Amino acid sequence: MAEYSIPEGSFFLGFDSSTQSLKATVLDSNFNTVVTELVHFDSELPHYETNGGVYRDPSVNGRIVSPTLMWVEALDMMLQKLSKKIDFREVAAVSGSGQQHGSVYWKIGSSSILSSLDPAKQLVEQFADSFSVKESPIWMDSSTTEQCKKIEEAMGGALELSSLTGSRAHERYTGPQIRRIYETQPEVYKQTERISLVSSFMASLFIGSYACIDETDGAGMNLLDIKQRVWSKKALDATAPELEEKLGKPAPAYSVAGLIAPYFVERYHFCNNCLVIQWSGDNPNSLAGLTLNTPGDLAISLGTSDTVFGITDEPQPRLEGHVFPNPVDTKGFMVMLCYKNGSLTREDIRNQYAEKSWDIFNKYLQQTPPLNDGKLGFYYKEHEILPPLPVGFHRYALKNFTADTVDDVVEHEVNEFDAPSEVRALIEGQFLSMRAHVERFGMPFPPRRLIATGGASSNECILGSLASIFGCDIYTVERPDSASLGAALRAAHGWLCNAKGRFIPFDCMYKDKLEKTSLNCKLSVKAGDPTLVSKYAIMMKKRMEIENRLVEKLGRW
Ligand code: ADP
Ligand code: XUL
């Protein structure tokens, strides 16, 4: 066996417990995909009555949660499905991704349930009474504005908190969520013996005891000192009492969480030496799956959320954007922007203006010109994160939109566009915002390589607009579910680090054979007309002027 190769015949299983579904990818020892599988929450687990995998609480503004038990039942269903396609005996290691920031509250006594699972029963039956909070707050939640303000105050300001933890306080971040539970339901907080992220929660099921929170996903909590990769005492104190013992210690993402629990060996015939590698967040796993390891590269994930991410050695945490420790390195950082109005908002506009059909949506994109004759839109079906604006649609008609300077462009607000222009205004608006914030956050522009992933990256018409606005070629990988692919690859990496007894650089596993693997990025859409990039720059500046005004008038902060 060459120094960094994986034994022939081993499989690596990666999951992605995301907002709308649980996905899985199985890689072979040559990093080719052998199986993919999906459990869609709304349609395959209809008894939970979720919409897009979530509940929107009509009585509390911005409260968005998911039933914790649904994620457990999805795992039962997924393992059933996979058992028909692969022999689990061949799986050398398992890892996974969880939607970032979502949290799970284990009731006192649950660790003994975890460690004594009955293989004759499904998981869902056994965890029915294990959670002190039955509905997990998730990344879409925006009900913790007050807690965010108090945490920032206690930390000496938003920028202080961001310098230490990588982000200012964000409503969806787990620290503010925990503080809200402590403030509004102190008894429930007291009855909680352990708090997991979605990622470490799923890992806990697999090892039959509480898994650590990994250092990268842990940075999405406003609690971790990102340079030292340890919990910050000051941030813990600013959040809730006795929190450290409820969180356990953070661990590197490449480390072993534990051996797979006997439950899975007996019920599904995994080998008893199958390793469970720490799970991490979905965006960090996508970074791994897209093999992003050069600072000039950027990835855009068009999933339920839209995110833009890359790596850097010298992060500068600011008031917008996020910095996390690099999930596949012992040093270095991952930088990211996150939008809440991604795929569900695209679906909403498709349903309103394009007869619920992606084909018609695409036809409208093709029949409208780049720059949309100066029609510019802001579409917030959900409270937006970037910028922090409430639900609402804002549309503007721009005069002189091809002028050389933004001062010559004049806008006036309008009520609605024709249907094809609505579609283009949405797509151009989303990508103009990304370009503006990428530049403002100091991410590379234009990127050396721009890789698209997530559900909507299968749509080449949408990628065409992205290419025109960013002025660069767009690459994609074989399949749009890079989070579960990255988790499978990290499972292999964790297995290898464990076999060698030390950290092995991530790319050593695949760099000599990348082109022959499922990890290979291929050119999907060419950059197109270069003169458009500067025209879009003017439109982008106008957009930012309007955005700043909207934030001043309507912003939550
Ligand atoms: P997540 O992992 O966040 O749950 P996915 O990355 O699986 O989400 O993306 C799911 C989304 O992909 C769906 O909500 C859907 O709107 C979008 N999608 C799927 N196919 C297309 C398409 N052809 N064009 C645009 N969007 C699409
Ligand atoms: C990232 C974020 C989302 C979720 C979606 O900060 O909130 O991208 O990870 O699953």
Side-chain angles (χ1 to χ4, degrees):
M1 178 169 97
E3 197 187 359
Y4 296 126
S5 67
I6 305 280
E8 278 294 315
S10 343
F11 283 172
F12 296 93
L13 172 53
F15 292 95
D16 176 25
S17 181
S18 74
T19 319
Q20 303 192 56
S21 63
L22 174 66
K23 304 181 195 115
T25 297
V26 180
L27 285 179
D28 65 16
S29 52
N30 293 313
F31 304 133
N32 282 311
T33 302
V34 274
V35 167
T36 60
E37 198 42 275
L38 181 135
V39 174
H40 184 249
F41 301 143
D42 291 359
S43 58
E44 292 181 79
L45 296 164
H47 43 288
Y48 291 98
E49 298 182 352
T50 55
N51 186 352
V54 309
Y55 299 145
R56 292 173 172 79
D57 186 342
S59 60
V60 180
N61 190 18
R63 180 171 174 263
I64 302 190
V65 292
S66 291
T68 313
L69 213 51
M70 176 179 78
W71 297 331
V72 181
E73 191 167 350
L75 181 57
D76 283 325
M77 195 177 254
M78 172 60 89
L79 289 167
Q80 276 300 330
K81 287 190 182 194
L82 285 174
S83 67
K84 299 196 178 103
K85 293 185 167 176
I86 59 162
D87 181 349
F88 287 127
R89 268 176 281 254
E90 293 176 77
V91 177
V94 175
S95 190
S97 309
Q99 50 171 304
Q100 293 192 261
H101 323 294
S103 44
V104 172
Y105 299 80
W106 298 90
K107 205 191 262 181
I108 290 176
S110 297
S111 65
S112 54
I113 301 178
L114 258 179
S115 61
S116 56
L117 292 172
D118 177 353
K121 295 184 183 153
Q122 297 219 32
L123 294 169
V124 66
E125 299 168 50
Q126 305 188 63
F127 288 107
D129 195 30
S130 298
F131 309 117
S132 48
V133 175
K134 295 207 171 350
E135 295 174 342
S136 283
I138 65 149
W139 69 273
M140 295 173 82
D141 185 280
S142 58
S143 66
T144 64
T145 313
E146 283 317 306
Q147 287 74 23
C148 287
K149 285 183 187 157
K150 289 187 203 149
I151 289 173
E152 287 187 348
E153 230 173 78
M155 295 299 290
L159 202 54
E160 284 292 312
L161 179 61
S162 182
S163 307
L164 181 72
T165 69
S167 304
R168 72 174 301 175
H170 286 274
E171 287 135 329
R172 69 191 191 287
Y173 269 47
T174 327
Q177 293 291 343
I178 293 172
R179 181 168 172 147
R180 184 165 186 276
I181 288 174
Y182 169 67
E183 282 178 359
T184 56
Q185 300 166 273
E187 273 314 302
V188 166
Y189 183 76
K190 223 162 128 193
Q191 285 157 21
T192 302
E193 68 181 21
R194 183 79 172 208
I195 301 173
S196 298
L197 294 180
V198 177
S199 52
S200 61
F201 165 63
M202 298 293 284
S204 303
L205 299 180
F206 274 102
I207 63 172
S209 65
Y210 293 133
C212 295
I213 290 175
D214 85 285
E215 293 164 355
T216 302
D217 213 14
M221 302 173 82
N222 285 134
L223 292 173
L224 192 98
D225 175 334
I226 53 163
K227 296 205 178 91
Q228 306 301 324
R229 300 187 173 207
V230 294
W231 301 127
S232 149
K233 180 95 186 61
K234 194 171 172 197
L236 291 171
D237 290 346
T239 303
E242 288 147 38
L243 183 52
E244 194 164 6
E245 61 241 42
K246 292 187 202 289
L247 295 177
K249 281 202 181 342
Y254 65 84
S255 63
V256 174
L259 286 175
I260 200 159
Y263 174 86
F264 298 93
V265 176
E266 287 165 44
R267 189 174 170 97
Y268 292 105
H269 312 298
F270 280 87
C271 280
N272 55 12
N273 63 354
C274 172
L275 295 181
V276 180
I277 305 304
Q278 307 289 3
W279 287 41
S280 187
D282 50 0
N283 294 296
N285 275 287
S286 281
L287 183 129
L290 299 174
T291 63
L292 221 69
N293 53 16
T294 309
D297 288 351
L298 278 187
I300 290 196
S301 171
L302 304 169
T304 312
S305 61
D306 283 351
T307 58
V308 187
F309 51 86
I311 60 163
T312 180
D313 292 331
E314 290 164 12
Q316 287 181 327
R318 299 171 199 216
L319 292 184
E320 66 182 26
H322 314 292
V323 180
F324 309 126
N326 185 326
V328 287
D329 203 355
T330 51
K331 45 190 183 351
F333 297 88
M334 164 176 182
V335 281
M336 192 181 84
L337 303 172
C338 178
Y339 293 86
K340 202 189 293 183
N341 286 274
S343 279
L344 297 179
T345 302
R346 285 186 285 275
E347 280 178 27
D348 198 53
I349 295 296
R350 178 201 65 181
N351 296 348
Q352 269 192 59
Y353 296 101
E355 301 170 39
K356 304 188 174 167
S357 146
W358 288 125
D359 286 343
I360 296 179
F361 188 97
N362 290 346
K363 194 178 86 190
Y364 285 171
L365 265 182
Q366 281 161 336
Q367 76 186 43
T368 45
L371 303 161
N372 208 15
D373 288 327
K375 294 174 197 126
L376 186 62
F378 296 71
Y379 297 84
Y380 303 126
K381 176 180 141 39
E382 310 277 357
H383 292 304
E384 183 47 67
I385 297 164
L386 187 59
L389 281 174
V391 172
F393 289 0
H394 314 274
R395 300 173 177 90
Y396 301 86
L398 307 185
K399 238 200 239 153
N400 301 334
F401 62 95
T402 51
D404 291 334
T405 93
V406 67
D407 299 336
D408 295 334
V409 185
V410 186
E411 79 277 6
H412 70 274
E413 200 162 352
V414 296
N415 284 334
E416 206 172 22
F417 303 133
D418 56 286
S421 304
E422 290 284 352
V423 166
R424 181 166 281 278
L426 165 73
I427 294 297
E428 289 194 343
Q430 290 181 325
F431 294 148
L432 282 170
S433 172
M434 285 181 195
R435 177 173 159 187
H437 287 283
V438 156
E439 292 191 39
R440 198 157 94 177
F441 191 43
M443 287 167 143
F445 186 85
R448 194 184 72 97
R449 265 190 334 162
L450 186 54
I451 310 171
T453 182
S457 69
S458 59
N459 185 325
E460 285 194 3
C461 291
I462 291 181
L463 296 190
S465 284
L466 179 63
S468 307
I469 290 173
F470 273 69
C472 61
D473 298 342
I474 310 293
Y475 293 80
T476 51
V477 278
E478 197 175 271
R479 294 183 44 84
D481 41 354
S482 55
S484 62
L485 173 77
L489 190 61
R490 280 200 322 95
H493 181 235
W495 182 93
L496 191 62
C497 294
N498 183 64
K500 299 281 170 197
R502 65 190 157 91
F503 176 80
I504 306 288
F506 192 59
D507 64 351
C508 288
M509 289 194 304
Y510 55 74
K511 68 175 175 212
D512 297 337
K513 53 179 176 185
L514 194 62
E515 272 147 41
K516 294 194 212 118
T517 70
S518 295
L519 313 170
N520 194 24
C521 292
K522 291 212 182 80
L523 179 63
S524 172
V525 180
K526 296 279 294 167
D529 177 1
T531 60
L532 270 178
V533 184
S534 48
K535 290 191 180 135
Y536 272 124
I538 301 291
M539 205 165 189
M540 173 187 89
K541 284 186 186 144
K542 188 44 128 185
R543 186 183 170 91
M544 287 306 273
E545 274 180 26
I546 300 172
E547 181 181 302
N548 291 341
R549 275 204 319 262
L550 287 172
V551 172
E552 251 168 56
K553 198 165 133 206
L554 307 167
R556 295 194 301 281
W557 286 82

